[in-house]
Amino acid sequence: MSSINSSIYTDRGVNHGSVRPAFNRPLGKLKLWSHVSEIGDFLRVQLSSNLGDQDDRFQHINYKAGQHIYLLGQPFESLYLVNSGFLKSVLYDDLGNEQVLDFPMSGDVLAIDSLHTNYHNSEAIALADCNIIKLPYRNLIKLSHRSEQVERAVFGFFSKELMNQQIRLSLLGKSKAEARVAQFLLLLSNRFLSLGYSGNEFNLRMSRCEIGSYLGIKLETVSRVLSSLNESGLISVRQKKIAINDIDALRNLQSPSSSHCSH
Amino acid sequence: MSSINSSIYTDRGVNHGSVRPAFNRPLGKLKLWSHVSEIGDFLRVQLSSNLGDQDDRFQHINYKAGQHIYLLGQPFESLYLVNSGFLKSVLYDDLGNEQVLDFPMSGDVLAIDSLHTNYHNSEAIALADCNIIKLPYRNLIKLSHRSEQVERAVFGFFSKELMNQQIRLSLLGKSKAEARVAQFLLLLSNRFLSLGYSGNEFNLRMSRCEIGSYLGIKLETVSRVLSSLNESGLISVRQKKIAINDIDALRNLQSPSSSHCSH
DNA sequence: CGGGGTTTTGAGACCGGTCAAACGCCGTGG
DNA sequence: CCACGGCGTTTGACCGGTCTCAAAACCCCG
């Protein structure tokens, strides 16, 4: 019953964390996320039945802030289920410019976009210390064949991720900078709340520049909007510490207009 | 061997097309798309082996321009594989504003985003006459269990769709209006080319407003950019008819800048 | 030959980008 | 312990691009 915690570092030093078998660890907050809890339960069944060799297990891996979970171009072999922590996933265009795709948190699955190729199309980097469950693709598929619930969960992840992206698309398509930042804060607030943290006070783990990339605006604009919201009293900003004072007013900042494309 | 072609219309009149069994119809252009061809082949096996009852078959359905393939809020039961034609998929926000998500063409799969709920989160509307293969979700899953190739194709669709969205996100995040329109034209050009049509001359089936929604700019800006590109000679525009004169120059309009978010 | 809808074009205001400087936080080293 | 320097953030001034509002031109259709 002693905790196994062997740290593994290569000379790269960035894309490995410490590894330990998952069965030492309760799944904690995961029950708040239906898809996650379904997968979580079946992982435990799988693990306790102790089938297969070492490779068949679903490992928990710890990453320190700044470490990569996977790098662009690495061979794809696994999905990653975030158990705890906070990360960013980024895409690079032809010129090497960085585009922040998402800030995954507990309950999110990483690397889905790389599934149809043999290598990773994006990168995931820990912004805070993370505990991540590695889901080797082959094993996950095998497991999904044996359990309809796991299968539904897997498809659910995919579909949900796609819908999240669509909602972001819709955000970037319209709305002004103020509305984007407001929606971003509301998104984080909701997310923290559903994870059992405070929805009114939290820390931004990412830089202004990363927020700007995520929202499609410049870092100066992010800063200006935050200052403006701070002055009007809707929020309180102190560096990376955010407090939401008037959540309803924030919601009302949603962009009022779009075009009709009447039919 | 006579062609069955029973038109079905409800009083809604918009969300049904004419239905006929698929085995009357060769799969045509599908072979250009690896994922599609895989699915296509296995559909044919499935159909010729004539297993299951009527519901197990994968039907081809014809839609006229303007008809909905599915509506927001309708119960989700099927994915749809576009065999031929041209459509738009749209998302509606809380205020009813329309956001164009994509312009699906032959080889695309619709309704993936609705898979994790019991109803549709978006709508798909035919912009030109379409022939679409209905893939009832349950049947598709059953088929994928029997064939690893089909299973890979299904996952491939999902992952690829997600990556497409990410690339669009990255486009909306940066770049100026001119670069967006240029990229849009190149995207259409490539797509038409890979479907066997001309990549240099084609018709825009969608309105300026729908292009604007897709690109995150206003319809007037779309028009202005097209006029500007026309004057500089890179393209020729005449209403909905587009001719690309200098494809390399178009490619060079890609946005030059982004931020570093240095780490 | 009109009439409705779409597209084009124009003029002006405003938002956000750009460049630049000052500030604050924090770790390093004297 | 404090001084220094690096980095991220804030704030300012200016400029350019996009939105907005509006009117004219164009297309398709009867």
Side-chain angles (χ1 to χ4, degrees), chain B:
Chain B
M1 266 303 174
S2 66
S3 162
I4 305 170
N5 203 329
S6 57
S7 290
I8 301 177
Y9 291 100
T10 67
D11 49 355
R12 301 287 302 274
V14 290
N15 56 333
H16 290 81
S18 57
V19 179
R20 64 177 170 182
F23 40 74
N24 283 331
R25 197 163 214 286
L27 288 177
K29 306 198 188 68
L30 298 190
K31 57 179 168 299
L32 287 159
W33 290 82
S34 60
H35 293 320
V36 177
S37 68
E38 288 176 24
I39 283 213
D41 289 346
F42 278 85
L43 289 188
R44 284 203 277 198
V45 172
Q46 153 87 1
L47 292 166
S48 59
S49 68
N50 214 17
L51 297 170
D53 60 347
Q54 185 71 14
D55 290 343
D56 261 30
R57 301 229 177 83
F58 295 100
Q59 296 178 314
H60 281 241
I61 307 182
N62 289 320
Y63 295 88
K64 290 204 167 60
Q67 287 186 314
H68 286 70
I69 282 66
Y70 49 87
L71 287 165
L72 181 70
Q74 275 186 335
F76 167 81
E77 51 177 13
S78 292
L79 300 176
Y80 299 86
L81 173 60
V82 180
N83 187 32
S84 70
F86 196 88
L87 4 197
K88 71 170 177 177
S89 58
V90 299
L91 187 69
Y92 297 98
D93 64 12
D94 313 324
L95 302 88
N97 295 321
E98 163 175 334
Q99 168 68 45
V100 174
L101 294 171
D102 200 6
F103 295 110
M105 304 173 59
S106 177
D108 285 325
V109 173
L110 310 176
I112 295 175
D113 57 320
S114 304
L115 199 149
H116 73 293
T117 54
N118 292 323
Y119 54 89
H120 283 285
N121 299 299
S122 59
E123 297 193 351
I125 302 160
L127 292 180
D129 293 359
C130 293
N131 180 267
I132 291 179
I133 307 172
K134 185 172 184 177
L135 309 172
Y137 177 56
R138 282 285 135 224
N139 298 348
L140 190 63
I141 296 300
K142 262 192 285 178
L143 184 59
S144 79
H145 286 169
R146 270 181 272 154
S147 152
E148 204 202 334
Q149 254 179 296
V150 169
E151 181 171 67
R152 268 198 302 136
V154 171
F155 283 116
F157 273 129
F158 290 11
S159 174
K160 199 155 186 222
E161 187 67 19
L162 190 61
M163 207 186 67
N164 284 342
Q165 296 283 13
Q166 290 182 352
I167 291 173
R168 276 203 58 209
L169 262 185
S170 149
L171 177 66
L172 290 193
K174 306 186 267 270
S175 60
K176 307 214 177 301
E178 190 180 50
R180 298 191 193 190
V181 174
Q183 189 136 339
F184 175 70
L185 293 176
L186 290 172
L187 184 125
L188 283 183
S189 170
N190 284 333
R191 202 67 202 279
F192 284 130
L193 204 58
S194 70
L195 290 176
Y197 301 113
S198 164
N200 293 326
E201 289 188 41
F202 46 83
N203 273 48
L204 300 176
R205 312 304 280 261
M206 70 293 280
S207 70
R208 298 288 189 267
C209 185
E210 286 161 343
I211 298 175
S213 174
Y214 181 78
L215 294 177
I217 54 184
K218 296 284 127 174
L219 74 160
E220 294 96 329
T221 308
V222 174
S223 176
R224 263 183 257 272
V225 170
L226 287 176
S227 298
S228 150
L229 292 177
N230 185 40
E231 275 185 40
S232 62
L234 300 195
I235 65 173
S236 302
V237 190
R238 166 110 186 135
Q239 294 295 122
K240 296 200 181 298
K241 277 204 80 63
I242 298 278
I244 297 182
N245 301 325
D246 189 344
I247 199 165
D248 291 325
L250 267 190
R251 289 207 187 89
N252 291 334
L253 287 181
Q254 315 276 40
S255 82
S257 73
S258 175
S259 35
H260 267 286
C261 291
S262 64
H263 39 282

Side-chain angles (χ1 to χ4, degrees), chain A residues 29-30 32-36 81-87 102-110 157 160-161 164 183-202 206 214 244 247 251:
Chain A
K29 304 199 189 66
L30 298 190
L32 286 160
W33 290 81
S34 60
H35 293 321
V36 178
L81 172 60
V82 181
N83 187 32
S84 70
F86 196 89
L87 5 198
D102 199 7
F103 296 110
M105 304 172 60
S106 177
D108 286 324
V109 173
L110 310 175
F157 274 129
K160 201 158 182 219
E161 187 68 17
N164 285 341
Q183 189 136 338
F184 175 70
L185 294 176
L186 290 171
L187 184 126
L188 282 183
S189 170
N190 284 333
R191 203 66 203 278
F192 284 130
L193 204 59
S194 70
L195 290 176
Y197 301 113
S198 165
N200 294 324
E201 288 188 41
F202 47 84
M206 70 294 280
Y214 182 77
I244 296 182
I247 197 165
R251 289 206 188 90

